[in-house]
Amino acid sequence: MKNSSKKLQILLLLPLIAMQIKCGSSKNAAANPGKAESWITTADESSKLKKQDDLVFGTETNSNQTIEVNPSEKFQTIEGFGFSLTGGSAQTILKLDKAKREALLQELFSRKNDAIGLSYLRISIGASDLNEKVFSYDDMPEGQTDLKLEHFNLGPDLNDVVPLLKEILAINPQIKIMGSPWSPPVWMKDNGSSKGGSLQPKYYEVYAQYFVKYIQAMKSHGIVIDAITPQNEPLHPGNNPSLLMLAEQQADFIGNHLGPAFAKAKIKTKIIVYDHNCNKPEYPLTILKDVKANPFVAGSAFHLYEGDISALSTVHDAFPNKDLYFTEQYTGSGSSFENDLKWSVKNVVIGSMRNWSKNALSWGLANDEYYKPFTPGGCSTCKGALMIDQNQNIKREVGYYIIGHASKFVPEGSVRIGSNIAGNLYNAAFKTPSGQTVLIVENDGTSAETFNIKYNQKQISTTLNAGAVATYVW
């Protein structure tokens, strides 16, 4: 009897022992990595987000420059990587046959197989300049107003942006969505035009309710708006549509109208200020210093057509409890794959991450072979991540690879961890929710660089061509 009871005890303990061994081995695997996978995009386009042979970690030393990844040094939590789903982008994608569209959306938004796992989208509240025509959600005949917003409706967005978002949400229900207006309804403006002018203070309260109605209308379609900015590029009134909104005006609008309207309507959507270039960090700082506006503000958003990406850290250092976002950078029809890849990965992806941004977004997701649609006076040279021609051929442009090098490997909830810049090798490192380590490297030099990646006293040695980008995962 004694022997059989002992055997029974041993049999009962075996699964526990096996589990402990398994847990211990997975911890050791994380602490002592064996292999690293890698994907590379080269300046000459011979490799585009292409998987390479695995690299093996070892203890051999050499005199190569070294990127050391430090998982104990933790920075911001990542919310996602992606693009703007402009009205034009949605229109272009919806022209695809159903099967082709479904396959494309899986490739863009799922985390399966060769998908790039986009996790963040920005959309325009009303038309952007990458819509076919200008509209707001409450357009009125000239000389008329709608103070109670009785005519409010999502208009043209119901034909393209809303249905496409529903298809995207079916693939990734967690995707983050940010809304940004290019212009309020023209009857609220002092120049009565979609282009330029300013929001009249007497309409601040009505405009705050316009945002409330927008968020509620989208929610009625199952679309949750995670964040809004009060105005896209508030210091660029020359676009169509556009609006001039100075920092003091935005502070007044948020502190006395938009913030209280959200609170009263129990809206949890984050208010993100500025949404313009890195050359004016004083704009978001003015709002964050405003006693009334500050409590309603979750963070600040930036573009990089002017200034330096370090502006994000300037704002972070002044207000470390407020978040940072990088919300737009275009790739243009007049630039090369090589130049856009180098510059954007260095600045938009790696630069924004090393300066506290919680996301990194390029501009339009898709357009046709003529860079259409765009509004009269809108951007005629903005190149989408995808070019879809009249015959439904899909070309993946440079923006696809710029963002794909991050979105495919760094899901929402990842945390940026420590890594040093080694010579021309710009980089950013992350720990994912599943415990993987991800390192994105761009060789900003003019020749190939051989270097080490060091992690927990072990290292791999590898080479990256000039202007090439690599993502390493272990």
Side-chain angles (χ1 to χ4, degrees), residues 1 4 38 41 46 48 57 91 112 129 195 232 239 241 247 261 276 315-316 339 343 398 407-408 435 462:
M1 282 293 288
S4 62
S38 64
T41 300
S46 60
K48 289 177 170 179
F57 278 92
Q91 249 186 332
K112 298 173 192 167
D129 59 310
K195 185 176 177 178
N232 168 69
N239 202 355
H276 207 171
V315 176
H316 173 267
N339 289 342
W343 190 91
V398 66
S407 60
K408 184 175 175 67
T462 188

Side-chain angles (χ1 to χ4, degrees), residues 9 59 64 103 107 121 127 149 151 154 172 185 216 228 295 336 346 365 386 403 416 450 459:
Q9 283 177 325
T59 53
N64 298 338
E107 176 191 335
L121 288 173
L149 301 176
H151 298 279
L154 294 175
N172 178 4
Q216 291 170 340
I228 58 94
S336 67
K346 176 185 173 181
L365 180 58
L386 305 168
I403 295 298
R416 186 171 83 81
T450 299
Q459 65 184 34

Side-chain angles (χ1 to χ4, degrees), residues 49-69:
L49 203 52
K50 191 176 177 184
K51 195 173 189 300
Q52 310 296 305
D53 292 337
D54 288 355
L55 300 160
V56 180
F57 278 92
T59 53
E60 303 83 8
T61 57
N62 57 50
S63 57
N64 298 338
Q65 54 190 345
T66 299
I67 297 169
E68 185 159 5
V69 177

Side-chain angles (χ1 to χ4, degrees), residues 136-197:
S136 79
Y137 299 135
D138 200 332
D139 291 328
M140 297 296 293
E142 195 174 344
Q144 293 184 33
T145 61
D146 182 20
L147 300 183
K148 293 182 179 177
L149 301 176
E150 290 168 336
H151 298 279
F152 181 96
N153 68 86
L154 294 175
D157 281 352
L158 292 171
N159 302 323
D160 41 53
V161 173
V162 168
L164 193 62
L165 276 176
K166 288 179 180 179
E167 292 184 26
I168 291 165
L169 285 162
I171 297 166
N172 178 4
Q174 273 75 50
I175 197 163
K176 289 266 196 293
I177 301 168
M178 173 185 280
S180 303
W182 266 239
S183 172
V186 298
W187 55 265
M188 297 185 188
K189 300 171 76 173
D190 60 10
N191 69 343
S193 168
S194 61
K195 185 176 177 178

Side-chain angles (χ1 to χ4, degrees), residues 268-467:
K268 303 293 184 200
T269 301
K270 295 192 280 276
I271 298 172
I272 312 294
V273 303
Y274 190 41
D275 207 7
H276 207 171
N277 289 328
C278 287
N279 62 334
K280 300 279 186 190
E282 62 271 22
Y283 188 114
L285 289 172
T286 297
I287 301 169
L288 292 169
K289 286 172 185 170
D290 186 278
V291 179
K292 280 193 172 178
N294 179 289
F296 298 115
V297 175
S300 310
F302 287 86
H303 307 174
L304 189 54
Y305 302 110
E306 291 183 79
D308 189 272
I309 195 67
S310 61
L312 278 71
S313 283
T314 301
V315 176
H316 173 267
D317 292 347
F319 292 91
N321 64 324
K322 300 293 186 182
D323 293 329
L324 277 302
Y325 294 86
F326 191 91
T327 48
E328 182 189 312
Q329 195 69 31
Y330 98 136
T331 51
S333 59
S335 186
S336 67
F337 185 98
E338 176 183 6
N339 289 342
D340 281 337
L341 181 72
K342 270 181 72 166
W343 190 91
S344 281
V345 173
K346 176 185 173 181
N347 292 285
V348 172
V349 178
I350 293 167
S352 72
M353 293 295 112
R354 292 188 75 94
N355 286 281
W356 297 97
S357 186
K358 295 178 78 76
N359 72 348
L361 309 180
S362 279
W363 183 208
L365 180 58
N367 51 245
D368 70 15
E369 64 266 51
Y370 307 108
Y371 305 104
K372 289 181 176 179
F374 50 83
T375 62
C379 182
S380 60
T381 59
C382 288
K383 186 193 287 183
L386 305 168
M387 187 275 283
I388 303 174
D389 69 18
Q390 303 305 313
N391 299 317
Q392 304 202 9
N393 297 308
I394 303 167
K395 184 186 177 190
R396 288 146 190 84
E397 301 280 12
V398 66
Y400 177 97
Y401 301 102
I402 290 163
I403 295 298
H405 264 281
S407 60
K408 184 175 175 67
F409 311 101
V410 186
E412 181 194 353
S414 300
V415 175
R416 186 171 83 81
I417 56 175
S419 64
N420 60 297
I421 303 283
N424 292 314
L425 300 167
Y426 287 83
N427 64 82
F430 307 86
K431 185 67 79 173
T432 72
S434 65
Q436 286 188 312
T437 304
V438 179
L439 178 69
I440 303 168
V441 182
E442 181 262 332
N443 178 1
D444 208 50
T446 54
S447 58
E449 301 262 5
T450 299
F451 62 100
N452 304 319
I453 299 169
K454 190 174 180 182
Y455 183 83
N456 284 350
Q457 307 311 311
K458 289 199 170 187
Q459 65 184 34
I460 51 179
S461 183
T462 188
T463 300
L464 193 59
N465 288 339

